[in-house]
Amino acid sequence: MGQLEHIVIVGAGAAGLMAARELARAGRTVTILEARERCGGRIDPLPASEFGYPADGGAEFVHGEAPVTRKLVCEAGLSLQKIEGTQWSFDGTGLSHEDRHDPHEAELHAALGALKDDLTVADFLRRHFAEPEYVPLRHSIERMVEGYDAADPERASTLALREEWMDGGHHTQARIVGGYGALIDFLASACRGLGVTFRFGCAVSAIEETGGALAVRCAGGDAHGCDRVVLTVPLPLLREIALPEPARAKAAAAGDIGFGSVIKILLRFARPWWRERSEDLADMTFLLSDQSIPVWWTRHPDQHPVLTGWFGGPRTAELAKLDRQGLIDAGVDSLAAIFGVSRDDIARDLVAAAATNWLHDPFARGAYSWATPRTREAQAILARADGPVLFSGEALYRGRDMGTVEAALASGLETAEMILRG
């Protein structure tokens, strides 16, 4: 095949763009088929005109070391802003500084350290922390697993989350100045410069293999012949694409990888009314509660009067019937309860709003992946390069921060390198 090899990449998200750039640099002919009318996938840039800055309707934070992301940020001439500030919580009666210390933390670390065989988080808690005195610990762990990892404690792997807990969830977080959209623009522009062909509005329905020739079919009827296909679509969409038998057998392993849903709400106000209520909240970053939208964050240290609401994990099903306006209303109600003000006062100051239940997005069907005790085995099966149909994306990343943009970029890079080695 050599230089003439034509590779079709399904999906113009972070993994697809990263793989395309690497393959095109090495002289391969690359076509990207994308169901949306834009690049980015679950990176969803919102108009700066609406929010006063390029807001992110999807992925927003750079988690931890993220070496691939940071290298790309440098290449693109962009910069990162570290997340700093204080974390607050609302206990139903008042606001307080979030106390991260649990009296049973040492016991938790000992039980985690002694764990040899993987268990689900729920089984781990039942086995080691079932007594009544551990109720706050269980609640805080379940809240983190559901809210941060968008995972189901009854299925999530304890070993996969162990590192996160052992450092108390204290790894650094940052934002890209200009948002993830700026990084996607840089990658897409690099791909175009290298001759990559983009086809938007093409939802892939089937990959057919006849006599050693591959054809990728779009729902509209278009067919694209190629030598190899790289599927970078979110896991739930794999079930909707007809695949040749060997690839279908591999894709079945995706059932052993968790995939979480997330609701994200952005509310822009005429003024930062929460800071006016108390000087203590001037450097508030995160705000946690048990309201229907349980997690909020500010743009601190930026002064933009925007609050972002977040609800992740299986309990998002409670709000599944709400449309965009219903979600915005739920966000306003949650803030009214937390701050003890009328919802009318909050709504009066609202300038712009956006809300997405990623489960309802037809080209995502959820937000990001998480590990079950069988995930590492499933990833190994899916990552094999034993045939013309390959799988790539954040769900296949075997490093620590699965489910992140870093995971998607690293997986795309790894898949391209595997093809080029082969």
Side-chain angles (χ1 to χ4, degrees):
M1 289 180 187
Q3 298 299 97
L4 299 174
E5 186 177 26
H6 179 201
I7 298 160
V8 164
I9 293 174
V10 181
L17 292 173
M18 196 68 173
R21 184 179 77 149
E22 200 64 15
L23 292 165
R25 271 178 172 171
R28 301 299 194 269
T29 303
V30 180
T31 301
I32 297 182
L33 305 179
E34 169 55 53
R36 303 178 194 273
E37 295 297 338
R38 61 167 180 83
C39 292
R42 287 164 279 167
I43 289 170
D44 183 17
L46 301 173
S49 57
E50 278 183 44
F51 290 93
Y53 65 96
D56 288 299
E60 178 171 343
F61 297 110
V62 177
H63 301 276
E65 291 168 14
V68 182
T69 307
R70 286 171 190 269
K71 183 168 182 279
L72 206 56
V73 164
C74 280
E75 258 186 82
L78 297 166
S79 60
L80 291 175
Q81 183 177 58
K82 194 176 169 191
I83 305 293
E84 289 166 342
T86 54
Q87 182 160 300
W88 289 74
S89 65
F90 174 68
D91 62 3
T93 55
L95 287 166
S96 60
H97 264 301
E98 176 76 359
D99 179 19
R100 286 185 161 277
H101 182 71
D102 187 284
H104 303 294
E105 204 170 318
E107 288 171 75
L108 173 64
H109 285 198
L112 286 168
L115 193 63
K116 296 284 183 285
D117 297 319
D118 206 354
L119 290 171
T120 68
V121 171
D123 283 342
F124 171 78
L125 293 177
R126 281 191 282 265
R127 182 176 295 187
H128 296 282
F129 299 100
E131 290 79 12
E133 70 261 31
Y134 297 118
V135 165
L137 175 73
R138 289 201 301 272
H139 178 68
S140 116
I141 286 173
E142 284 161 3
R143 181 162 77 172
M144 187 171 83
V145 170
E146 291 186 6
Y148 182 79
D149 299 290
D152 179 353
E154 292 291 350
R155 288 189 66 215
S157 154
T158 303
L159 285 181
L161 296 168
R162 178 160 70 179
E163 275 180 72
E164 197 178 298
W165 291 343
M166 293 298 244
D167 70 6
H170 281 313
H171 62 261
T172 58
Q173 294 195 95
R175 283 189 187 94
I176 296 172
V177 178
Y180 266 118
L183 200 64
I184 290 296
D185 288 346
F186 169 75
L187 270 178
S189 163
C191 286
R192 286 190 179 95
L194 290 161
V196 173
T197 302
F198 285 83
R199 296 270 182 266
F200 293 104
C202 171
V204 168
S205 57
I207 296 168
E208 296 161 0
E209 190 176 12
T210 42
L214 276 187
V216 184
R217 293 202 180 277
C218 299
D222 291 358
H224 300 265
C226 59
D227 300 300
R228 252 193 249 240
V229 181
V230 179
L231 275 169
T232 73
V233 299
L235 289 185
L237 298 182
L238 287 178
R239 294 191 286 271
E240 298 179 14
I241 299 173
L243 298 171
E245 179 47 44
R248 191 164 74 240
K250 264 166 68 172
D256 288 329
I257 303 174
F259 197 76
S261 53
V262 160
I263 289 167
K264 190 173 184 184
I265 301 164
L266 285 91
L267 304 177
R268 179 189 181 185
F269 297 96
R271 56 195 179 81
W273 50 266
W274 57 95
R275 290 206 293 266
E276 293 166 10
R277 291 181 64 76
S278 166
E279 283 179 26
D280 293 343
L281 301 181
D283 67 344
M284 178 177 76
T285 306
F286 288 96
L287 171 58
L288 308 180
S289 76
D290 284 326
Q291 293 301 308
S292 60
I293 305 299
V295 181
W296 292 89
W297 60 78
T298 67
R299 289 290 301 174
H300 180 79
D302 284 354
Q303 297 302 300
H304 295 289
V306 173
L307 290 174
T308 299
W310 173 271
F311 186 17
R315 290 190 308 124
T316 52
E318 296 162 16
L319 303 184
K321 289 188 171 65
L322 296 184
D323 61 5
R324 175 186 170 277
Q325 190 56 49
L327 292 173
I328 291 165
D329 291 344
V332 170
D333 289 340
S334 296
L335 290 173
I338 292 168
F339 287 98
V341 294
S342 83
R343 70 174 323 281
D344 291 345
D345 284 352
I346 292 178
R348 198 175 299 124
D349 271 337
L350 201 54
V351 175
T356 305
N357 182 340
W358 280 92
L359 190 65
H360 294 166
D361 183 297
F363 306 125
R365 302 287 169 84
Y368 48 82
S369 62
W370 45 270
T372 74
R374 299 172 65 174
T375 286
R376 295 301 181 211
E377 204 180 314
Q379 288 174 322
I381 292 167
L382 283 159
R384 288 200 307 251
D386 53 356
V389 180
L390 284 79
F391 300 89
S392 189
E394 51 84 13
L396 273 72
Y397 178 68
R398 282 168 281 182
R400 173 178 161 174
D401 289 310
M402 179 182 171
T404 61
V405 177
E406 169 72 11
L409 293 169
S411 176
L413 191 58
E414 200 177 284
T415 304
E417 285 168 351
M418 195 161 65
I419 289 171
L420 296 173
R421 281 198 304 272

